[in-house]
Amino acid sequence: MRESEAREALCRMGELLVRRGLVHGSTGNLSVRLDDGWLVTPTNSSLGELDPARLSRLDSAGRLLDGDQPSKEAFLHRCVYDVRGDATAIIHTHSTHCAAVSCLDHKPGAPVLPPLTAYYVMRVGDLALVPYYRPGDERLALAVKEVAVKHAAILLANHGPVIAGKSLKDAQYALEELEETAKLHFLLHGHPTRPLTAEQVAELNVHFRN
Ligand code: ZN
């Protein structure tokens, strides 16, 4: 994607996420990979009011080349790009239902969310949970990098999701599927529930995921 197109696409995606209630205030940040670095949304910006000319352009090492100061969470994006060659776009939000799931008392080894629907398995797949670290703690970056090798969808505990995609649309669809599945999870609380079986998940992975 040409840089001018990437700038426009990023701003349009920011508006869409605000319109759909997936981000609030100045939370959330988006990025798109370029040939020689990446574009990320600036710090303290509302995703609904982005200016294509003021997006932060960083080199592949994460240094600011031009535009406004990048989001303080830009390092999350860099950690993922560093280890996922297939990622060309990343969306990080504090979307309400995803954030609620991130605050649950998760048992080690158990799925972060049960595979409730086929679309969840196809779009999100195996969601990884990264333990809580205070903002700025460098262990957060290390933990994200470690799980991003195998997972395009990551949930930061007591925080929110980081979703890598082969395109911005791909990341958006995965984020929306995750948010809707998180809603279902709470709607079903207290009801006898039958998630997909391991065989059904394996069958979907054979047919729909590489
Ligand atoms: Zn955040």
Side-chain angles (χ1 to χ4, degrees):
M1 194 188 285
R2 286 216 322 271
E3 185 179 328
S4 57
E5 289 170 19
R7 286 177 181 272
E8 294 292 336
L10 213 103
C11 296
R12 279 200 307 275
M13 182 58 69
E15 280 173 32
L16 181 148
L17 294 176
V18 170
R19 229 171 29 240
R20 299 196 177 174
L22 289 157
V23 295
H24 59 275
S26 63
T27 64
N29 32 79
L30 313 175
S31 67
V32 172
R33 201 201 296 255
L34 304 170
D35 290 341
D36 54 354
W38 38 290
L39 291 168
V40 66
T41 48
T43 186
N44 259 328
S45 54
S46 162
L47 294 192
E49 298 164 343
L50 295 170
D51 179 347
R54 293 179 61 179
L55 296 174
S56 318
R57 188 164 67 94
L58 310 182
D59 67 13
S60 21
R63 285 178 296 247
L64 181 64
L65 296 175
D66 58 58
D68 289 357
Q69 281 299 318
S71 160
K72 291 183 192 70
E73 296 183 314
F75 73 94
L76 295 171
H77 300 243
R78 187 182 161 205
C79 289
V80 177
Y81 286 133
D82 278 355
V83 297
R84 293 195 72 82
D86 65 342
T88 64
I90 293 169
I91 301 181
H92 165 60
T93 68
H94 301 173
S95 308
T96 309
H97 297 84
C98 293
V101 168
S102 82
C103 298
L104 294 174
D105 184 15
H106 296 278
K107 300 292 172 240
V112 182
L113 274 175
L116 294 172
T117 67
Y119 274 85
Y120 175 74
V121 175
M122 288 151 58
R123 289 266 184 225
V124 181
D126 191 7
L127 177 67
L129 184 72
V130 165
Y132 174 81
Y133 295 102
R134 73 163 166 74
D137 187 331
E138 64 182 29
R139 286 175 298 174
L140 176 59
L142 294 174
V144 167
K145 214 170 200 176
E146 195 178 318
V147 298
V149 173
K150 289 196 178 150
H151 299 267
I154 298 169
L155 188 62
L156 309 177
N158 306 87
H159 189 165
V162 178
I163 310 287
K166 295 187 175 81
S167 65
L168 264 176
K169 273 272 163 235
D170 188 31
Q172 173 214 334
Y173 290 156
L175 171 70
E176 289 186 308
E177 198 60 43
L178 178 57
E179 178 68 5
E180 292 305 313
T181 305
K183 276 186 211 172
L184 289 181
H185 183 59
F186 292 112
L187 273 174
L188 290 165
H189 183 71
H191 298 276
T193 302
R194 191 197 72 85
L196 300 186
T197 63
E199 290 73 27
Q200 288 166 333
V201 170
E203 186 192 16
L204 287 166
N205 287 334
V206 166
H207 283 85
F208 298 103
R209 293 183 71 84
N210 43 30

Short mmCIF file of all heavy atoms in Angstrom, two decimals, residues 29 73 76 92-94 159, ligand 1:
data_model
loop_
_atom_site.label_atom_id
_atom_site.label_comp_id
_atom_site.label_asym_id
_atom_site.label_seq_id
_atom_site.Cartn_x
_atom_site.Cartn_y
_atom_site.Cartn_z
N ASN A 29 -5.09 2.59 19.71
CA ASN A 29 -4.12 3.05 18.73
C ASN A 29 -4.01 2.04 17.60
O ASN A 29 -4.27 0.85 17.78
CB ASN A 29 -2.75 3.36 19.36
CG ASN A 29 -2.46 2.47 20.56
OD1 ASN A 29 -2.07 1.33 20.38
ND2 ASN A 29 -2.72 2.98 21.76
N GLU A 73 1.80 3.69 23.58
CA GLU A 73 1.69 2.23 23.44
C GLU A 73 2.24 1.73 22.11
O GLU A 73 2.05 0.57 21.75
CB GLU A 73 0.23 1.80 23.61
CG GLU A 73 -0.28 2.11 25.02
CD GLU A 73 -1.70 1.65 25.26
OE1 GLU A 73 -2.57 1.90 24.40
OE2 GLU A 73 -1.96 1.06 26.31
N LEU A 76 3.98 -1.63 21.76
CA LEU A 76 3.21 -2.89 21.60
C LEU A 76 3.20 -3.30 20.13
O LEU A 76 3.35 -4.47 19.79
CB LEU A 76 1.77 -2.72 22.07
CG LEU A 76 1.53 -2.42 23.56
CD1 LEU A 76 0.07 -2.07 23.79
CD2 LEU A 76 1.93 -3.64 24.40
N HIS A 92 -5.07 -1.82 18.54
CA HIS A 92 -5.13 -2.03 20.00
C HIS A 92 -6.24 -1.14 20.55
O HIS A 92 -6.30 0.05 20.25
CB HIS A 92 -3.80 -1.65 20.65
CG HIS A 92 -3.90 -1.51 22.13
ND1 HIS A 92 -4.29 -2.56 22.95
CD2 HIS A 92 -3.71 -0.45 22.96
CE1 HIS A 92 -4.33 -2.15 24.21
NE2 HIS A 92 -3.98 -0.86 24.24
N THR A 93 -7.14 -1.74 21.32
CA THR A 93 -8.24 -0.98 21.91
C THR A 93 -8.42 -1.36 23.37
O THR A 93 -7.80 -2.31 23.86
CB THR A 93 -9.58 -1.28 21.19
OG1 THR A 93 -9.96 -2.64 21.49
CG2 THR A 93 -9.49 -1.08 19.70
N HIS A 94 -9.31 -0.60 24.03
CA HIS A 94 -9.75 -0.95 25.38
C HIS A 94 -11.25 -1.29 25.29
O HIS A 94 -12.01 -0.94 26.18
CB HIS A 94 -9.52 0.20 26.35
CG HIS A 94 -8.08 0.64 26.45
ND1 HIS A 94 -7.69 1.76 27.15
CD2 HIS A 94 -6.95 0.10 25.95
CE1 HIS A 94 -6.36 1.89 27.07
NE2 HIS A 94 -5.89 0.90 26.34
N HIS A 159 -6.58 -4.82 30.72
CA HIS A 159 -6.24 -3.77 29.75
C HIS A 159 -7.08 -3.94 28.48
O HIS A 159 -8.17 -3.38 28.41
CB HIS A 159 -4.73 -3.85 29.49
CG HIS A 159 -4.18 -2.72 28.69
ND1 HIS A 159 -2.83 -2.47 28.60
CD2 HIS A 159 -4.77 -1.79 27.92
CE1 HIS A 159 -2.63 -1.41 27.83
NE2 HIS A 159 -3.80 -0.99 27.40
ZN ZN B 1 -3.99 0.36 25.91
#
